[in-house]
Amino acid sequence: KYDSTICVGGICGESNVLDYVRCYNSGDIKINAIQSSRTDLIAGGIAGVASGGVALDGYKKGVFSSCWNVGTITSQSDRKILETNTEGVYYVDSYYGVIAAGGLVGSCGGMEIRQCFNNGEIDGRLYSGGLVGIFSGLGKEEHLPEENVWIRDSYNAGEIKGNYLAGGVLGISSGGFYLKNCYTTGKVTNGAVLGGQFAGYLTPKAIYENCFYVSKGRSNMSATIERSNEIKSVSEAEIQKKETYAEFDFINIWKYEEENTIVPVKLRF
């Protein structure tokens, strides 16, 4: 259908200011549009699209809490999505709409994500993220209060695929928000243009604290912004050591499994 949006999720297709608590998806979710024109195609393990309120102004913002995905999430189309300019540089033509996939949610704005993880394979073609394909923060970039941390204590261990902006945690982000105590060990495979091991694109307005990624064939943590002092690359040997997670809360939130060589640090729930 011309000028439309298709939102698919394991729990909900599209929601506004809704709390997702201890929700999970183990099924495979796939959008495969043929001969579609200006249709947004957005898929997520828990929700396709989820919107929250403006927490800084006192509104309820909505939350993903203790949620996880182990299914394969795919959003694909046969239509053309990229163009090149006279210098041969790729860019997205907005005429063709958005194609996105995320382990928790395909597109999310103004919500908090806490104590969540993804173990499934994610393929969003245009925007792909282990937790979120497209994430929009609503906070200001300066002096965000602790209660407005948007993404915290979460991780990705699934493989991420895409053709434009793909990342282990986020595909693309905008606005101001905190990202705290998060990591990714999943491989990022980007077929055409851009991508990063941690995120496809990291907004310069956000604040990152105690976040890291395992470099697997990609030296960059983000396609467009290098912030190595805030988001660190660690080796596969370092990811096994508990001291790598020195700032994590192992009393209330995280647990260390020494014999687990894939994901040695997991959430307690």
Side-chain angles (χ1 to χ4, degrees), residues 203-225:
T203 169
K205 296 181 179 180
I207 299 171
Y208 308 94
E209 181 180 347
N210 199 36
C211 296
F212 48 90
Y213 63 97
V214 177
S215 181
K216 295 185 177 181
R218 286 185 176 274
S219 59
N220 60 321
M221 67 90 181
S222 172
T224 49
I225 297 178

PDB file of all heavy atoms in Angstrom, residues 203-225:
ATOM      1  N   THR A 203      24.115   9.205  18.386  1.00  0.00           N
ATOM      2  CA  THR A 203      23.859  10.635  18.443  1.00  0.00           C
ATOM      3  C   THR A 203      24.896  11.344  19.313  1.00  0.00           C
ATOM      4  O   THR A 203      25.244  10.869  20.394  1.00  0.00           O
ATOM      5  CB  THR A 203      22.446  10.926  18.987  1.00  0.00           C
ATOM      6  OG1 THR A 203      22.329  12.326  19.256  1.00  0.00           O
ATOM      7  CG2 THR A 203      22.195  10.163  20.278  1.00  0.00           C
ATOM      8  N   PRO A 204      25.394  12.492  18.883  1.00  0.00           N
ATOM      9  CA  PRO A 204      26.362  13.242  19.699  1.00  0.00           C
ATOM     10  C   PRO A 204      25.737  13.885  20.928  1.00  0.00           C
ATOM     11  O   PRO A 204      26.446  14.387  21.794  1.00  0.00           O
ATOM     12  CB  PRO A 204      26.877  14.307  18.717  1.00  0.00           C
ATOM     13  CG  PRO A 204      25.770  14.489  17.738  1.00  0.00           C
ATOM     14  CD  PRO A 204      25.147  13.129  17.567  1.00  0.00           C
ATOM     15  N   LYS A 205      24.412  13.878  21.039  1.00  0.00           N
ATOM     16  CA  LYS A 205      23.737  14.512  22.160  1.00  0.00           C
ATOM     17  C   LYS A 205      23.582  13.592  23.370  1.00  0.00           C
ATOM     18  O   LYS A 205      23.150  14.026  24.426  1.00  0.00           O
ATOM     19  CB  LYS A 205      22.347  15.000  21.723  1.00  0.00           C
ATOM     20  CG  LYS A 205      22.378  16.083  20.656  1.00  0.00           C
ATOM     21  CD  LYS A 205      20.964  16.516  20.306  1.00  0.00           C
ATOM     22  CE  LYS A 205      20.976  17.624  19.266  1.00  0.00           C
ATOM     23  NZ  LYS A 205      19.601  18.058  18.926  1.00  0.00           N
ATOM     24  N   ALA A 206      23.882  12.329  23.195  1.00  0.00           N
ATOM     25  CA  ALA A 206      23.659  11.362  24.277  1.00  0.00           C
ATOM     26  C   ALA A 206      24.890  11.211  25.160  1.00  0.00           C
ATOM     27  O   ALA A 206      25.989  11.628  24.797  1.00  0.00           O
ATOM     28  CB  ALA A 206      23.258  10.021  23.691  1.00  0.00           C
ATOM     29  N   ILE A 207      24.681  10.612  26.332  1.00  0.00           N
ATOM     30  CA  ILE A 207      25.742  10.372  27.303  1.00  0.00           C
ATOM     31  C   ILE A 207      25.907   8.868  27.474  1.00  0.00           C
ATOM     32  O   ILE A 207      24.932   8.158  27.731  1.00  0.00           O
ATOM     33  CB  ILE A 207      25.399  11.026  28.659  1.00  0.00           C
ATOM     34  CG1 ILE A 207      25.253  12.538  28.493  1.00  0.00           C
ATOM     35  CG2 ILE A 207      26.469  10.708  29.703  1.00  0.00           C
ATOM     36  CD1 ILE A 207      24.716  13.238  29.726  1.00  0.00           C
ATOM     37  N   TYR A 208      27.138   8.388  27.319  1.00  0.00           N
ATOM     38  CA  TYR A 208      27.411   6.965  27.403  1.00  0.00           C
ATOM     39  C   TYR A 208      28.311   6.683  28.596  1.00  0.00           C
ATOM     40  O   TYR A 208      29.335   7.331  28.764  1.00  0.00           O
ATOM     41  CB  TYR A 208      28.064   6.470  26.111  1.00  0.00           C
ATOM     42  CG  TYR A 208      27.278   6.862  24.882  1.00  0.00           C
ATOM     43  CD1 TYR A 208      27.585   8.024  24.186  1.00  0.00           C
ATOM     44  CD2 TYR A 208      26.216   6.086  24.449  1.00  0.00           C
ATOM     45  CE1 TYR A 208      26.847   8.406  23.076  1.00  0.00           C
ATOM     46  CE2 TYR A 208      25.475   6.452  23.346  1.00  0.00           C
ATOM     47  CZ  TYR A 208      25.790   7.613  22.657  1.00  0.00           C
ATOM     48  OH  TYR A 208      25.057   7.989  21.564  1.00  0.00           O
ATOM     49  N   GLU A 209      27.931   5.709  29.399  1.00  0.00           N
ATOM     50  CA  GLU A 209      28.697   5.403  30.598  1.00  0.00           C
ATOM     51  C   GLU A 209      28.847   3.896  30.773  1.00  0.00           C
ATOM     52  O   GLU A 209      27.855   3.158  30.786  1.00  0.00           O
ATOM     53  CB  GLU A 209      28.005   6.004  31.831  1.00  0.00           C
ATOM     54  CG  GLU A 209      28.741   5.769  33.135  1.00  0.00           C
ATOM     55  CD  GLU A 209      28.023   6.382  34.320  1.00  0.00           C
ATOM     56  OE1 GLU A 209      27.088   7.190  34.105  1.00  0.00           O
ATOM     57  OE2 GLU A 209      28.383   6.046  35.458  1.00  0.00           O
ATOM     58  N   ASN A 210      30.090   3.438  30.899  1.00  0.00           N
ATOM     59  CA  ASN A 210      30.386   2.045  31.176  1.00  0.00           C
ATOM     60  C   ASN A 210      29.753   1.107  30.148  1.00  0.00           C
ATOM     61  O   ASN A 210      29.041   0.162  30.499  1.00  0.00           O
ATOM     62  CB  ASN A 210      29.930   1.679  32.588  1.00  0.00           C
ATOM     63  CG  ASN A 210      30.602   0.420  33.095  1.00  0.00           C
ATOM     64  OD1 ASN A 210      31.762   0.174  32.802  1.00  0.00           O
ATOM     65  ND2 ASN A 210      29.854  -0.379  33.842  1.00  0.00           N
ATOM     66  N   CYS A 211      30.016   1.383  28.875  1.00  0.00           N
ATOM     67  CA  CYS A 211      29.517   0.551  27.786  1.00  0.00           C
ATOM     68  C   CYS A 211      30.695   0.048  26.956  1.00  0.00           C
ATOM     69  O   CYS A 211      31.699   0.739  26.810  1.00  0.00           O
ATOM     70  CB  CYS A 211      28.570   1.347  26.893  1.00  0.00           C
ATOM     71  SG  CYS A 211      27.060   1.904  27.720  1.00  0.00           S
ATOM     72  N   PHE A 212      30.575  -1.141  26.393  1.00  0.00           N
ATOM     73  CA  PHE A 212      31.670  -1.684  25.608  1.00  0.00           C
ATOM     74  C   PHE A 212      31.162  -2.742  24.632  1.00  0.00           C
ATOM     75  O   PHE A 212      30.015  -3.176  24.685  1.00  0.00           O
ATOM     76  CB  PHE A 212      32.765  -2.255  26.509  1.00  0.00           C
ATOM     77  CG  PHE A 212      32.282  -3.168  27.601  1.00  0.00           C
ATOM     78  CD1 PHE A 212      32.168  -4.526  27.404  1.00  0.00           C
ATOM     79  CD2 PHE A 212      31.929  -2.649  28.840  1.00  0.00           C
ATOM     80  CE1 PHE A 212      31.726  -5.363  28.404  1.00  0.00           C
ATOM     81  CE2 PHE A 212      31.489  -3.478  29.865  1.00  0.00           C
ATOM     82  CZ  PHE A 212      31.392  -4.843  29.639  1.00  0.00           C
ATOM     83  N   TYR A 213      32.049  -3.162  23.722  1.00  0.00           N
ATOM     84  CA  TYR A 213      31.712  -4.136  22.702  1.00  0.00           C
ATOM     85  C   TYR A 213      32.925  -5.012  22.429  1.00  0.00           C
ATOM     86  O   TYR A 213      34.062  -4.614  22.657  1.00  0.00           O
ATOM     87  CB  TYR A 213      31.275  -3.450  21.413  1.00  0.00           C
ATOM     88  CG  TYR A 213      32.355  -2.612  20.764  1.00  0.00           C
ATOM     89  CD1 TYR A 213      33.127  -3.114  19.726  1.00  0.00           C
ATOM     90  CD2 TYR A 213      32.605  -1.310  21.197  1.00  0.00           C
ATOM     91  CE1 TYR A 213      34.121  -2.349  19.135  1.00  0.00           C
ATOM     92  CE2 TYR A 213      33.585  -0.539  20.606  1.00  0.00           C
ATOM     93  CZ  TYR A 213      34.338  -1.065  19.583  1.00  0.00           C
ATOM     94  OH  TYR A 213      35.326  -0.305  19.007  1.00  0.00           O
ATOM     95  N   VAL A 214      32.649  -6.212  21.947  1.00  0.00           N
ATOM     96  CA  VAL A 214      33.714  -7.107  21.517  1.00  0.00           C
ATOM     97  C   VAL A 214      33.907  -6.909  20.028  1.00  0.00           C
ATOM     98  O   VAL A 214      32.970  -7.060  19.241  1.00  0.00           O
ATOM     99  CB  VAL A 214      33.369  -8.582  21.811  1.00  0.00           C
ATOM    100  CG1 VAL A 214      34.469  -9.497  21.282  1.00  0.00           C
ATOM    101  CG2 VAL A 214      33.170  -8.790  23.293  1.00  0.00           C
ATOM    102  N   SER A 215      35.105  -6.556  19.638  1.00  0.00           N
ATOM    103  CA  SER A 215      35.387  -6.324  18.229  1.00  0.00           C
ATOM    104  C   SER A 215      35.531  -7.658  17.504  1.00  0.00           C
ATOM    105  O   SER A 215      36.377  -8.475  17.850  1.00  0.00           O
ATOM    106  CB  SER A 215      36.672  -5.504  18.069  1.00  0.00           C
ATOM    107  OG  SER A 215      36.934  -5.264  16.712  1.00  0.00           O
ATOM    108  N   LYS A 216      34.674  -7.875  16.524  1.00  0.00           N
ATOM    109  CA  LYS A 216      34.709  -9.110  15.732  1.00  0.00           C
ATOM    110  C   LYS A 216      34.754  -8.750  14.250  1.00  0.00           C
ATOM    111  O   LYS A 216      33.742  -8.746  13.557  1.00  0.00           O
ATOM    112  CB  LYS A 216      33.501  -9.989  16.029  1.00  0.00           C
ATOM    113  CG  LYS A 216      33.449 -10.518  17.445  1.00  0.00           C
ATOM    114  CD  LYS A 216      32.294 -11.466  17.645  1.00  0.00           C
ATOM    115  CE  LYS A 216      32.293 -12.049  19.043  1.00  0.00           C
ATOM    116  NZ  LYS A 216      31.173 -12.999  19.244  1.00  0.00           N
ATOM    117  N   GLY A 217      35.921  -8.407  13.789  1.00  0.00           N
ATOM    118  CA  GLY A 217      36.089  -8.088  12.378  1.00  0.00           C
ATOM    119  C   GLY A 217      35.862  -6.640  12.029  1.00  0.00           C
ATOM    120  O   GLY A 217      36.105  -6.213  10.916  1.00  0.00           O
ATOM    121  N   ARG A 218      35.377  -5.830  12.995  1.00  0.00           N
ATOM    122  CA  ARG A 218      35.175  -4.406  12.750  1.00  0.00           C
ATOM    123  C   ARG A 218      35.947  -3.621  13.799  1.00  0.00           C
ATOM    124  O   ARG A 218      35.785  -3.836  14.984  1.00  0.00           O
ATOM    125  CB  ARG A 218      33.690  -4.018  12.831  1.00  0.00           C
ATOM    126  CG  ARG A 218      32.884  -4.465  11.632  1.00  0.00           C
ATOM    127  CD  ARG A 218      31.460  -3.935  11.734  1.00  0.00           C
ATOM    128  NE  ARG A 218      30.694  -4.275  10.565  1.00  0.00           N
ATOM    129  CZ  ARG A 218      30.686  -3.548   9.454  1.00  0.00           C
ATOM    130  NH1 ARG A 218      31.421  -2.465   9.386  1.00  0.00           N
ATOM    131  NH2 ARG A 218      29.962  -3.914   8.430  1.00  0.00           N
ATOM    132  N   SER A 219      36.751  -2.697  13.356  1.00  0.00           N
ATOM    133  CA  SER A 219      37.533  -1.906  14.298  1.00  0.00           C
ATOM    134  C   SER A 219      36.741  -0.718  14.829  1.00  0.00           C
ATOM    135  O   SER A 219      37.054  -0.164  15.863  1.00  0.00           O
ATOM    136  CB  SER A 219      38.815  -1.399  13.632  1.00  0.00           C
ATOM    137  OG  SER A 219      38.496  -0.601  12.509  1.00  0.00           O
ATOM    138  N   ASN A 220      35.708  -0.304  14.098  1.00  0.00           N
ATOM    139  CA  ASN A 220      34.938   0.857  14.522  1.00  0.00           C
ATOM    140  C   ASN A 220      33.779   0.454  15.419  1.00  0.00           C
ATOM    141  O   ASN A 220      33.149  -0.569  15.228  1.00  0.00           O
ATOM    142  CB  ASN A 220      34.382   1.613  13.301  1.00  0.00           C
ATOM    143  CG  ASN A 220      33.466   0.749  12.464  1.00  0.00           C
ATOM    144  OD1 ASN A 220      33.721  -0.434  12.283  1.00  0.00           O
ATOM    145  ND2 ASN A 220      32.414   1.326  11.945  1.00  0.00           N
ATOM    146  N   MET A 221      33.515   1.283  16.430  1.00  0.00           N
ATOM    147  CA  MET A 221      32.376   0.989  17.286  1.00  0.00           C
ATOM    148  C   MET A 221      31.121   1.671  16.769  1.00  0.00           C
ATOM    149  O   MET A 221      30.028   1.327  17.132  1.00  0.00           O
ATOM    150  CB  MET A 221      32.666   1.413  18.731  1.00  0.00           C
ATOM    151  CG  MET A 221      32.798   2.885  18.966  1.00  0.00           C
ATOM    152  SD  MET A 221      31.241   3.625  19.372  1.00  0.00           S
ATOM    153  CE  MET A 221      31.755   5.325  19.555  1.00  0.00           C
ATOM    154  N   SER A 222      31.275   2.652  15.887  1.00  0.00           N
ATOM    155  CA  SER A 222      30.143   3.321  15.273  1.00  0.00           C
ATOM    156  C   SER A 222      30.545   3.756  13.872  1.00  0.00           C
ATOM    157  O   SER A 222      31.700   4.059  13.608  1.00  0.00           O
ATOM    158  CB  SER A 222      29.713   4.545  16.086  1.00  0.00           C
ATOM    159  OG  SER A 222      28.729   5.280  15.382  1.00  0.00           O
ATOM    160  N   ALA A 223      29.573   3.788  12.979  1.00  0.00           N
ATOM    161  CA  ALA A 223      29.889   4.126  11.602  1.00  0.00           C
ATOM    162  C   ALA A 223      30.308   5.576  11.435  1.00  0.00           C
ATOM    163  O   ALA A 223      31.093   5.900  10.556  1.00  0.00           O
ATOM    164  CB  ALA A 223      28.668   3.846  10.723  1.00  0.00           C
ATOM    165  N   THR A 224      29.806   6.458  12.266  1.00  0.00           N
ATOM    166  CA  THR A 224      29.981   7.884  12.000  1.00  0.00           C
ATOM    167  C   THR A 224      30.617   8.688  13.114  1.00  0.00           C
ATOM    168  O   THR A 224      31.163   9.741  12.867  1.00  0.00           O
ATOM    169  CB  THR A 224      28.605   8.515  11.678  1.00  0.00           C
ATOM    170  OG1 THR A 224      27.676   8.121  12.681  1.00  0.00           O
ATOM    171  CG2 THR A 224      28.103   8.038  10.332  1.00  0.00           C
ATOM    172  N   ILE A 225      30.538   8.217  14.357  1.00  0.00           N
ATOM    173  CA  ILE A 225      31.105   8.991  15.462  1.00  0.00           C
ATOM    174  C   ILE A 225      32.026   8.090  16.280  1.00  0.00           C
ATOM    175  O   ILE A 225      31.611   7.060  16.770  1.00  0.00           O
ATOM    176  CB  ILE A 225      29.992   9.551  16.373  1.00  0.00           C
ATOM    177  CG1 ILE A 225      29.113  10.516  15.578  1.00  0.00           C
ATOM    178  CG2 ILE A 225      30.600  10.273  17.568  1.00  0.00           C
ATOM    179  CD1 ILE A 225      27.967  11.068  16.388  1.00  0.00           C
TER     180      ILE A 225
END
